[in-house]
Amino acid sequence: MRPWSTAMTHAPTVRIAPSADVDERASVGAGTSVWHLAQIREDAEVGENCNIGRGAYVGPGVRLGSNVKLQNYALVYEPAQLGDGVFIGPAAVLTNDEYPRAVTPDGRLKSGADWHAVGVLVGEGAAIGARAVCVAPVRVGRWALVAAGAVVTKDVPDYALVVGVPARRVGWVGRAGVPLEATGEGRFRCPTTGAEYVDTDGQLAEA
């Protein structure tokens, strides 16, 4: 048996492990790899050159940009949207139910018609650490970094480093993901790339 198969509904360069479950109504971009036991549901859109790890889940209608990495057993529930270059760590969860219940107030098992899904938005280049949870509805800004095990319950600014339960900002990071060094008067520098940033009223931007 070949280690990879290519579905006719996908570009020839898409690699899908035999045990993966990719719905024929999903769209998967060229250069993407879908590993063992991963599931991509109907109407999901996965961009080019993505890596969908073992046991990862992509819900119906979820949108993933290009160069996205979902590590093993990451769970991305609809209607989440992930920008280009997003990293979702092992066993991280992006939820979609503000008021979770298995049954209605009268005891009837809930169906899809009994609740309204709300999504997590993750900006370009952002990273969600291992076993972190993003509680929808919430937005994680561009190039932000959510530490492993954090629980995000409110929006995360661009370039923010957040930790804890609930997550709180403890610093800034640059595009390299490395904490920035303060250089005075609301200015910061990335020790890896040398890029400079400026903090204006709690919002960071490249100088």
Side-chain angles (χ1 to χ4, degrees), residues 78-109:
E78 69 283 357
Q81 296 185 33
L82 281 58
D84 293 344
V86 166
F87 174 90
I88 307 295
V93 182
L94 277 56
T95 75
N96 68 351
D97 195 345
E98 287 186 275
Y99 309 107
R101 282 287 189 267
V103 296
T104 63
D106 60 6
R108 176 177 52 83
L109 183 67

Short mmCIF file of all heavy atoms in Angstrom, two decimals, residues 78-109:
data_model
loop_
_atom_site.label_atom_id
_atom_site.label_comp_id
_atom_site.label_asym_id
_atom_site.label_seq_id
_atom_site.Cartn_x
_atom_site.Cartn_y
_atom_site.Cartn_z
N GLU A 78 -16.01 24.87 13.39
CA GLU A 78 -16.64 25.89 12.56
C GLU A 78 -17.34 26.95 13.43
O GLU A 78 -17.76 26.63 14.54
CB GLU A 78 -17.65 25.24 11.61
CG GLU A 78 -18.91 24.66 12.26
CD GLU A 78 -18.71 23.30 12.97
OE1 GLU A 78 -17.61 22.74 12.94
OE2 GLU A 78 -19.68 22.83 13.56
N PRO A 79 -17.38 28.21 12.97
CA PRO A 79 -16.91 28.74 11.69
C PRO A 79 -15.55 29.46 11.80
O PRO A 79 -15.42 30.62 11.41
CB PRO A 79 -18.02 29.73 11.33
CG PRO A 79 -18.43 30.30 12.66
CD PRO A 79 -18.25 29.19 13.67
N ALA A 80 -14.56 28.82 12.36
CA ALA A 80 -13.25 29.45 12.54
C ALA A 80 -12.64 29.86 11.21
O ALA A 80 -12.88 29.23 10.17
CB ALA A 80 -12.30 28.49 13.27
N GLN A 81 -11.82 30.91 11.27
CA GLN A 81 -11.08 31.36 10.10
C GLN A 81 -9.64 31.64 10.52
O GLN A 81 -9.41 32.40 11.47
CB GLN A 81 -11.70 32.63 9.50
CG GLN A 81 -13.10 32.41 8.97
CD GLN A 81 -13.64 33.65 8.27
OE1 GLN A 81 -12.90 34.41 7.66
NE2 GLN A 81 -14.95 33.85 8.37
N LEU A 82 -8.69 31.04 9.82
CA LEU A 82 -7.27 31.17 10.13
C LEU A 82 -6.56 31.82 8.95
O LEU A 82 -6.73 31.39 7.80
CB LEU A 82 -6.64 29.81 10.42
CG LEU A 82 -6.85 29.18 11.80
CD1 LEU A 82 -8.32 29.01 12.13
CD2 LEU A 82 -6.12 27.84 11.89
N GLY A 83 -5.76 32.84 9.23
CA GLY A 83 -5.02 33.51 8.18
C GLY A 83 -3.82 32.71 7.72
O GLY A 83 -3.52 31.63 8.23
N ASP A 84 -3.09 33.27 6.77
CA ASP A 84 -1.88 32.63 6.27
C ASP A 84 -0.84 32.48 7.38
O ASP A 84 -0.70 33.37 8.23
CB ASP A 84 -1.26 33.45 5.14
CG ASP A 84 -2.12 33.49 3.89
OD1 ASP A 84 -3.04 32.65 3.77
OD2 ASP A 84 -1.86 34.36 3.04
N GLY A 85 -0.12 31.38 7.35
CA GLY A 85 1.00 31.19 8.26
C GLY A 85 0.65 30.97 9.71
O GLY A 85 1.50 31.12 10.59
N VAL A 86 -0.57 30.59 10.01
CA VAL A 86 -1.00 30.35 11.39
C VAL A 86 -0.51 28.99 11.88
O VAL A 86 -0.49 28.01 11.13
CB VAL A 86 -2.53 30.45 11.50
CG1 VAL A 86 -3.04 29.87 12.83
CG2 VAL A 86 -2.98 31.89 11.36
N PHE A 87 -0.13 28.93 13.16
CA PHE A 87 0.31 27.69 13.80
C PHE A 87 -0.67 27.37 14.93
O PHE A 87 -0.93 28.21 15.80
CB PHE A 87 1.71 27.87 14.38
CG PHE A 87 2.21 26.70 15.20
CD1 PHE A 87 2.92 25.67 14.61
CD2 PHE A 87 1.97 26.64 16.57
CE1 PHE A 87 3.37 24.59 15.36
CE2 PHE A 87 2.41 25.57 17.33
CZ PHE A 87 3.12 24.55 16.72
N ILE A 88 -1.20 26.14 14.91
CA ILE A 88 -2.07 25.65 15.98
C ILE A 88 -1.37 24.44 16.60
O ILE A 88 -1.18 23.43 15.94
CB ILE A 88 -3.47 25.27 15.47
CG1 ILE A 88 -4.11 26.41 14.68
CG2 ILE A 88 -4.36 24.85 16.64
CD1 ILE A 88 -4.41 27.64 15.49
N GLY A 89 -1.01 24.54 17.87
CA GLY A 89 -0.21 23.53 18.53
C GLY A 89 -0.96 22.25 18.84
O GLY A 89 -2.19 22.17 18.70
N PRO A 90 -0.23 21.23 19.28
CA PRO A 90 -0.83 19.93 19.58
C PRO A 90 -1.97 20.04 20.60
O PRO A 90 -1.81 20.68 21.65
CB PRO A 90 0.33 19.12 20.15
CG PRO A 90 1.55 19.78 19.62
CD PRO A 90 1.23 21.23 19.53
N ALA A 91 -3.09 19.44 20.28
CA ALA A 91 -4.25 19.34 21.17
C ALA A 91 -4.85 20.68 21.54
O ALA A 91 -5.65 20.77 22.48
CB ALA A 91 -3.90 18.55 22.44
N ALA A 92 -4.51 21.74 20.82
CA ALA A 92 -5.18 23.03 21.03
C ALA A 92 -6.60 22.94 20.50
O ALA A 92 -6.90 22.16 19.59
CB ALA A 92 -4.41 24.15 20.35
N VAL A 93 -7.50 23.77 21.07
CA VAL A 93 -8.91 23.72 20.69
C VAL A 93 -9.42 25.14 20.41
O VAL A 93 -9.22 26.05 21.21
CB VAL A 93 -9.78 23.10 21.80
CG1 VAL A 93 -11.24 23.02 21.37
CG2 VAL A 93 -9.27 21.72 22.20
N LEU A 94 -10.08 25.29 19.26
CA LEU A 94 -10.80 26.51 18.93
C LEU A 94 -12.28 26.18 19.01
O LEU A 94 -12.80 25.44 18.16
CB LEU A 94 -10.42 27.02 17.53
CG LEU A 94 -9.14 27.85 17.41
CD1 LEU A 94 -7.93 27.13 17.96
CD2 LEU A 94 -8.91 28.26 15.96
N THR A 95 -12.97 26.69 20.03
CA THR A 95 -14.34 26.28 20.29
C THR A 95 -15.33 27.05 19.42
O THR A 95 -14.96 27.95 18.67
CB THR A 95 -14.71 26.50 21.77
OG1 THR A 95 -14.90 27.91 22.03
CG2 THR A 95 -13.63 25.96 22.70
N ASN A 96 -16.62 26.72 19.55
CA ASN A 96 -17.63 27.43 18.77
C ASN A 96 -18.99 27.54 19.44
O ASN A 96 -19.97 27.90 18.80
CB ASN A 96 -17.81 26.75 17.40
CG ASN A 96 -18.43 25.36 17.50
OD1 ASN A 96 -18.60 24.81 18.59
ND2 ASN A 96 -18.77 24.79 16.35
N ASP A 97 -19.08 27.24 20.73
CA ASP A 97 -20.38 27.24 21.41
C ASP A 97 -20.28 28.07 22.69
O ASP A 97 -19.58 27.69 23.63
CB ASP A 97 -20.80 25.80 21.74
CG ASP A 97 -22.27 25.69 22.11
OD1 ASP A 97 -22.90 26.73 22.39
OD2 ASP A 97 -22.78 24.56 22.13
N GLU A 98 -20.97 29.23 22.72
CA GLU A 98 -20.91 30.10 23.91
C GLU A 98 -21.58 29.48 25.12
O GLU A 98 -21.13 29.67 26.25
CB GLU A 98 -21.58 31.43 23.60
CG GLU A 98 -20.81 32.35 22.70
CD GLU A 98 -21.49 33.69 22.56
OE1 GLU A 98 -22.39 33.81 21.70
OE2 GLU A 98 -21.12 34.62 23.31
N TYR A 99 -22.65 28.77 24.91
CA TYR A 99 -23.44 28.22 26.02
C TYR A 99 -23.66 26.73 25.79
O TYR A 99 -24.76 26.29 25.44
CB TYR A 99 -24.77 28.96 26.13
CG TYR A 99 -24.61 30.45 26.17
CD1 TYR A 99 -24.96 31.23 25.06
CD2 TYR A 99 -24.09 31.09 27.29
CE1 TYR A 99 -24.80 32.61 25.09
CE2 TYR A 99 -23.92 32.46 27.33
CZ TYR A 99 -24.28 33.21 26.22
OH TYR A 99 -24.11 34.58 26.24
N PRO A 100 -22.64 25.91 26.00
CA PRO A 100 -22.73 24.48 25.63
C PRO A 100 -23.69 23.69 26.49
O PRO A 100 -23.67 23.77 27.73
CB PRO A 100 -21.29 24.00 25.81
CG PRO A 100 -20.68 24.95 26.80
CD PRO A 100 -21.32 26.27 26.54
N ARG A 101 -24.54 22.96 25.83
CA ARG A 101 -25.45 22.01 26.46
C ARG A 101 -25.68 20.86 25.48
O ARG A 101 -25.75 21.08 24.27
CB ARG A 101 -26.80 22.65 26.79
CG ARG A 101 -26.82 23.54 28.03
CD ARG A 101 -26.74 22.69 29.30
NE ARG A 101 -26.97 23.48 30.50
CZ ARG A 101 -26.00 24.04 31.22
NH1 ARG A 101 -24.75 23.91 30.84
NH2 ARG A 101 -26.29 24.71 32.31
N ALA A 102 -25.80 19.65 25.99
CA ALA A 102 -26.12 18.51 25.14
C ALA A 102 -27.61 18.46 24.82
O ALA A 102 -28.01 17.93 23.78
CB ALA A 102 -25.70 17.21 25.82
N VAL A 103 -28.43 19.03 25.73
CA VAL A 103 -29.89 18.94 25.57
C VAL A 103 -30.52 20.32 25.69
O VAL A 103 -29.93 21.26 26.22
CB VAL A 103 -30.51 18.00 26.63
CG1 VAL A 103 -30.01 16.57 26.44
CG2 VAL A 103 -30.19 18.49 28.05
N THR A 104 -31.74 20.43 25.20
CA THR A 104 -32.53 21.65 25.33
C THR A 104 -33.10 21.71 26.75
O THR A 104 -33.04 20.72 27.50
CB THR A 104 -33.67 21.65 24.31
OG1 THR A 104 -34.53 20.54 24.60
CG2 THR A 104 -33.13 21.53 22.89
N PRO A 105 -33.67 22.86 27.16
CA PRO A 105 -34.25 22.94 28.50
C PRO A 105 -35.31 21.89 28.80
O PRO A 105 -35.52 21.53 29.97
CB PRO A 105 -34.85 24.36 28.53
CG PRO A 105 -33.97 25.15 27.61
CD PRO A 105 -33.65 24.20 26.50
N ASP A 106 -35.97 21.39 27.76
CA ASP A 106 -36.98 20.35 28.00
C ASP A 106 -36.41 18.93 27.92
O ASP A 106 -37.16 17.95 27.95
CB ASP A 106 -38.16 20.51 27.03
CG ASP A 106 -37.74 20.41 25.57
OD1 ASP A 106 -36.56 20.10 25.30
OD2 ASP A 106 -38.59 20.64 24.69
N GLY A 107 -35.10 18.82 27.83
CA GLY A 107 -34.45 17.51 27.87
C GLY A 107 -34.25 16.84 26.54
O GLY A 107 -33.75 15.71 26.50
N ARG A 108 -34.60 17.51 25.43
CA ARG A 108 -34.43 16.91 24.11
C ARG A 108 -32.99 17.08 23.64
O ARG A 108 -32.39 18.14 23.84
CB ARG A 108 -35.39 17.57 23.14
CG ARG A 108 -35.26 17.12 21.69
CD ARG A 108 -36.33 17.78 20.81
NE ARG A 108 -36.34 19.23 20.98
CZ ARG A 108 -35.50 20.06 20.33
NH1 ARG A 108 -34.60 19.58 19.49
NH2 ARG A 108 -35.59 21.36 20.53
N LEU A 109 -32.42 16.04 23.03
CA LEU A 109 -31.07 16.13 22.52
C LEU A 109 -30.97 17.24 21.49
O LEU A 109 -31.77 17.31 20.55
CB LEU A 109 -30.65 14.79 21.89
CG LEU A 109 -29.22 14.72 21.36
CD1 LEU A 109 -28.22 14.80 22.51
CD2 LEU A 109 -29.01 13.43 20.56
#
